[in-house]
Structures are given as structure tokens and as C-alpha cells.
């Protein structure tokens, strides 16, 4: 398209403004004070700020607002959302000179290529001779036809002064000597309109354009909070355990989001965004010999072969002989249905199974330490408990799980017709070693209460509703491109999904996607064995 005064006049700045918003967002992700290093390791490219300190502090405020929405490790309660929100809202107004300067800096940067109409950009006029085109534009807008007709139409627009300032800005960029004479001519023609050249006032970065940022930054925040850092370890010497001599090991101390906590103690704390509340982000992993022999496997939520499961009709089946569609009796006489998934886990190493010693009878061990039992503690509080409650919560992230221990009362089915229970007080647990290569079994139930009766005791359904088999079967329906897209998008949502589905599911989801992107027929991880036998 040939350059002309008419075209130069018609070049619009809509895309300039949208790029200012995007550019400032990118600038925030590249901010210092640890923002980029902790939360945005691979940020989009951005121009350098006009005022680095201003941008860094605004970025701190946005990140703190984002943290306040997180459900991870009590970080939300460690920041003052009100102060953070108020800070970035006050910073991004016309009352803040830094905001105006930063907006003008961005606006000027993007103006050359994004002030345009069709294929013609402002850069073309500047490169063709800025002063020449400034004179032509000036001569056109001070003529009687423009002043008596065109400018009157502009006055009818709600943002007429901003539109007139777009003309001033074009003149200023091409040759600033023509701005004042244009302003003088218009003020003479319309002395009561209050026409002024203040384009920079319209180029500030208004906070309503950025109210979505805290939630947009949530994925980055949760990823940073979910990073696990080893903070210490304690050596535990070897000893001769049951079944075999156990090697030495360690108890490890970990912290989640350590970099985030350290960051909050810096500039955010100076700005008043950090509260006095403490995090709940520490974790201990016990890899000592006693702990190794005391656990089964990550997915350990099951029973040994021969464990009896009560059906809704009063009959019993051993767990390994349950079939799809069997009606299972659940807590308080409700009914659930056994699904098409057979959960059979092959032990990858020796482990321990447990039984109940009630003081009168030492029951044979039949369950792993991760399994849920409905129990009442000595204070009278009832709820789900497990010997290893933290591990039990991996498959039950929405449940409150307590520690099952001596002195607790569990419930054994006494009467089927009226569904009555005998209270069994735990004196201790019996233990036995289950050997590497042996199998343990679990249940996956559909509908009804997520519970059943194993050897008469009320137990919880540990296997997740969104199961590994369901994930695998779903992957088979996706094209290779779709699987690749899902794998690429997964990292941002994993920390949040883990809260909903549990770490076992999200770990397997991540592992399966990244290892089997082009293998739709691959089997599940080796620990999970499905059989129709």
C-alpha cells in the first residue's frame, strides 16, 4: 500500500495497547528479586524495564497474590493477600509516575510495528523520512476542513482527547517540532474544549488489565512450592531384621518450596506481604532398616491371598476370587459393586504384613500398613486410620487419615442381618514378613460407600477412583499428537492435580505420558499386574 497522509492519520494503536499489556506481563516474569529464578525459569522474552525496582516490586506483589490462592503446604496463609493486591492495584494507576513512565516506555517500543492499518505500519513512515511526514500530517490537521468537520466528529467519541493525543504522539515521534503549532491551532479553534497534549497519561498500565495474573501465575507458583529439597539426613546403622539382615540406611529431612520460603523472607517481607504464620512444608522419609521392613510398596493398600470379603447377600469370597459385578457389603449395610479391575500387586522386595492382637487372640497378619480401618481413639473420635497414615493419604488425598495404634478400637462385623459390629480394642499388631515375588490384592469399587469388610473388619477402599487402568485405557483413545500435547501441558497442572487425585496417580500419569508417548499399547508400571485368573 502506498504511503499517504490519509493512511498515516488512520493508523490505529489498538494492537499497541494489547502488546503493552502482554509486554508488561512478560516483564513481570523476567523480574529480579528472585521472581524469575524461583518462579519463571523459562520466561517469555521481554524488553528491559524503564524502572527495574518498580517492576520488581510489582512482580513481588503479583506473585504473593498468586501464592495466597495456593492450597500447598500452608503457603497461602503465609502471605497477606490484601496488602499484595492493594500494592499492585495502587502501583498501576495514573497517580503513579513510575506506572506512567513504564507504560510510555512499552507503548513507544511497540508503536513502530503495531500502530498500523492493514499492511502499513508507522515504522514505514519514520524510515521514509520522519520530518517529511510530520509536516504533511501537521499541514493536513490544521486545515479548515479538518478543524471544521473531522475534529468535530472526533469530539463526539467518548475518548476524543485520547484520539487527538494519538495524532500528537505520531507527530512527536516523527518530528516533535510540529506538536506545539498543531496544539496552538486547535486551541484557538476550540478554546472551551481543554485540548492538551498529554499522550503519556493515556499510556499508563491500568491494573484492571492485570487482575487475571494471580491465577495465571498459579501453575508457576505451585510448581515452585512443590519442589522438594533435602535439608538433612541421619545415618541409621545396619541390623538383623526379621527374615533377613537389613542394610544400613538414612532418615531424610525434606522441605517443599524452600526457595519460595526463602524468597518470601526477602523483598516480599520488606514490603509487608509476609505474615507471621508458619509453613507446613516439611517431610521426613524414613529409609532406615526398620522402616523398610515395616512398609510394603508405594501402592501398598492391600490384603494377602485368602482374605475374606463379605458380599451383600451374606456370603464371603476370598479376595482373589472376587468377580466383576459382585455386590459388596459396605459400612453400615450399604452396597457397592466390584469393578472390572483386578488389583494384584507383586511385591518388589520383602515387606511386612500386619494382623490384630486384641489381647485375647493374636490374629494372623493379613493387611499392609497403608490400609485404612474405621477406628475410634481413646477420646471417642471416630474416623479412618492407618498404621502409615501419610502413605495411606497418597491414594486418599481428600480424607483425613489418623494413625492406627495400640489402644484404638476397630469394628468387626457381628451380625449380617441387622449389621451390628463387635468392638475390638487393639492391644498390639502381629507381624509377618511377606516375601519378594508374593502377591497382595486390593479392591476397586463402583458406587456406594468407599468401604468394605475384610476378615470382618470395616476397611476403606484405598485404590483411587481415577485408577491407573482407567488412565491407561483413556490414553489408548488419544492420537500420538494428543498424547504429546497432554504431556507438554501436564507439568503446570501436576501440583494442583496431586491435591485432587493423590501423588500415586499423578506420578504414574506423569511417568506414563513421558515414557509411553508413542506406545499406546504399553502396559502399566510393572508393580501393577492385572489378571483374569
Amino acid at each position: 500500500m502506498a504511503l499517504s497522509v490519509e493512511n498515516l492519520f488512520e493508523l490505529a494503536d489498538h494492537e499497541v495497547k494489547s502488546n503493552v499489556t502482554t509486554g508488561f506481563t512478560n516483564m513481570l516474569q523476567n523480574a529480579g528479586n528472585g521472581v524469575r529464578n524461583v518462579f519463571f525459569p523459562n520466561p517469555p522474552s521481554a524488553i528491559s524495564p524503564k524502572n527495574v525496582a518498580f517492576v520488581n516490586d510489582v512482580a513481588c506483589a503479583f506473585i504473593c497474590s498468586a501464592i495466597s490462592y495456593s492450597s500447598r503446604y500452608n503457603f497461602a496463609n503465609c502471605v497477606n493477600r490484601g496488602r499484595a493486591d492493594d500494592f499492585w492495584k495502587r502501583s498501576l494507576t495514573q497517580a503513579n509516575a513510575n506506572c506512567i513512565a513504564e507504560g510510555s516506555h512499552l507503548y513507544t517500543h511497540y508503536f513502530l510495528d503495531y500502530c498500523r492499518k492493514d499492511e502499513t505500519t508507522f515504522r514505514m513512515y519514520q524510515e521514509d523520512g520522519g520530518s517529511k511526514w510530520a509536516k504533511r500530517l501537521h499541514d493536513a490537521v490544521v486545515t479548515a476542513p479538518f478543524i471544521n468537520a473531522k475534529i468535530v466528529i472526533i469530539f463526539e467519541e467518548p475518548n476524543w482527547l485520547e484520539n487527538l493525543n494519538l495524532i500528537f504522539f505520531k507527530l512527536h515521534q516523527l518530528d516533535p517540532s510540529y506538536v506545539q503549532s498543531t496544539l496552538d491551532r486547535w486551541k484557538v479553534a476550540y478554546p472551551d474544549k481543554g485540548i492538551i497534549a498529554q499522550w503519556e497519561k493515556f499510556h499508563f498500565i491500568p491494573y484492571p488489565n492485570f487482575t487475571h495474573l494471580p491465577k495465571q501465575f498459579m501453575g508457576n507458583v505451585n510448581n515452585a512450592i512443590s519442589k522438594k529439597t533435602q535439608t538433612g539426613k541421619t545415618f541409621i546403622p545396619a541390623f538383623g531384621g526379621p527374615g533377613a539382615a537389613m542394610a544400613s540406611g538414612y532418615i531424610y529431612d525434606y522441605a517443599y518450596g524452600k526457595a519460595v520460603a526463602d524468597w518470601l523472607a526477602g523483598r516480599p517481607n520488606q514490603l509487608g506481604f509476609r505474615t507471621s504464620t508458619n509453613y507446613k512444608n516439611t517431610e521426613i522419609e524414613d529409609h532406615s532398616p526398620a522402616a523398610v521392613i515395616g512398609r510394603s510398596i508405594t501402592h501398598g493398600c492391600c490384603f494377602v491371598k485368602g482374605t475374606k470379603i463379605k458380599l451383600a447377600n451374606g456370603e464371603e469370597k476370598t479376595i482373589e476370587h472376587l468377580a466383576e459385578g459382585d455386590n459388596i457389603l459396605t459400612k453400615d449395610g450399604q452396597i457397592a459393586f466390584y469393578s472390572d479391575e483386578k488389583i494384584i500387586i507383586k511385591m518388589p522386595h520383602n515387606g511386612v504384613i500386619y494382623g490384630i492382637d486384641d489381647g485375647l487372640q493374636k490374629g494372623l497378619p493379613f493387611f499392609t500398613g497403608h490400609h485404612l480401618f474405621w477406628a475410634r481413639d481413646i477420646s471417642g473420635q471416630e474416623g479412618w486410620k492407618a498404621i502409615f497414615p501419610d502413605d495411606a493419604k497418597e491414594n486418599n488425598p481428600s480424607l483425613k487419615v489418623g494413625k492406627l495404634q495400640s489402644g484404638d478400637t476397630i469394628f468387626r462385623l457381628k451380625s449380617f442381618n441387622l449389621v451390628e459390629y463387635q468392638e475390638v480394642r487393639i492391644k498390639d499388631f502381629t507381624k509377618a514378613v511377606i516375601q519378594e515375588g508374593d502377591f497382595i490384592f486390593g479392591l476397586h469399587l463402583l458406587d456406594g460407600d468407599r468401604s468394605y469388610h475384610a476378615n470382618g473388619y470395616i476397611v476403606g477402599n484405598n485404590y483411587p477412583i481415577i485408577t491407573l487402568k482407567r488412565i491407561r485405557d483413556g490414553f489408548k483413545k488419544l492420537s500420538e499428537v494428543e498424547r504429546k500435547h497432554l504431556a507438554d501441558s501436564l507439568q503446570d497442572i501436576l501440583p494442583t492435580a496431586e491435591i485432587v487425585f493423590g501423588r500415586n496417580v499423578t506420578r504414574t500419569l506423569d511417568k506414563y505420558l513421558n515414557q509411553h508417548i508413542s506406545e499406546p499399547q504399553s502396559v502399566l508400571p510393572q508393580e501393577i499386574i492385572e489378571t483374569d485368573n
Side-chain angles (χ1 to χ4, degrees), residues 428-449:
D428 201 354
F429 297 101
T430 59
K431 302 176 184 177
V433 175
I434 184 169
Q435 301 295 324
E436 177 182 345
D438 286 348
F439 293 94
I440 52 177
F441 302 79
L443 269 68
H444 181 252
L445 302 179
L446 301 175
D447 303 321
D449 186 72

Side-chain angles (χ1 to χ4, degrees), residues 351-465:
V352 166
I353 52 174
Y354 298 83
I356 305 300
D357 178 358
D358 62 6
L360 299 175
Q361 183 178 356
K362 296 181 181 292
L364 293 175
F366 69 98
F367 63 93
T368 60
H370 307 73
H371 208 93
L372 296 173
F373 280 71
W374 186 260
R376 183 174 65 227
D377 61 25
I378 57 175
S379 70
Q381 290 290 110
E382 290 191 11
W384 292 113
K385 292 190 173 189
I387 294 174
F388 301 120
D390 290 341
D391 296 320
K393 281 185 69 65
E394 293 294 342
N395 283 325
N396 300 276
S398 62
L399 288 185
K400 180 180 180 181
V401 180
K403 183 173 179 58
L404 188 67
Q405 54 194 341
S406 299
D408 287 344
T409 297
I410 56 178
F411 301 87
R412 186 166 54 205
L413 192 63
K414 178 181 179 181
S415 170
F416 166 73
N417 292 327
L418 297 177
V419 189
E420 293 181 338
Y421 293 98
Q422 174 189 358
E423 297 186 0
V424 177
R425 185 80 172 268
I426 299 174
K427 179 183 178 182
D428 201 354
F429 297 101
T430 59
K431 302 176 184 177
V433 175
I434 184 169
Q435 301 295 324
E436 177 182 345
D438 286 348
F439 293 94
I440 52 177
F441 302 79
L443 269 68
H444 181 252
L445 302 179
L446 301 175
D447 303 321
D449 186 72
R450 285 176 55 77
S451 64
Y452 54 101
H453 298 83
N455 285 350
Y457 295 104
I458 302 174
V459 298
N461 186 19
N462 270 39
Y463 202 59
I465 295 175

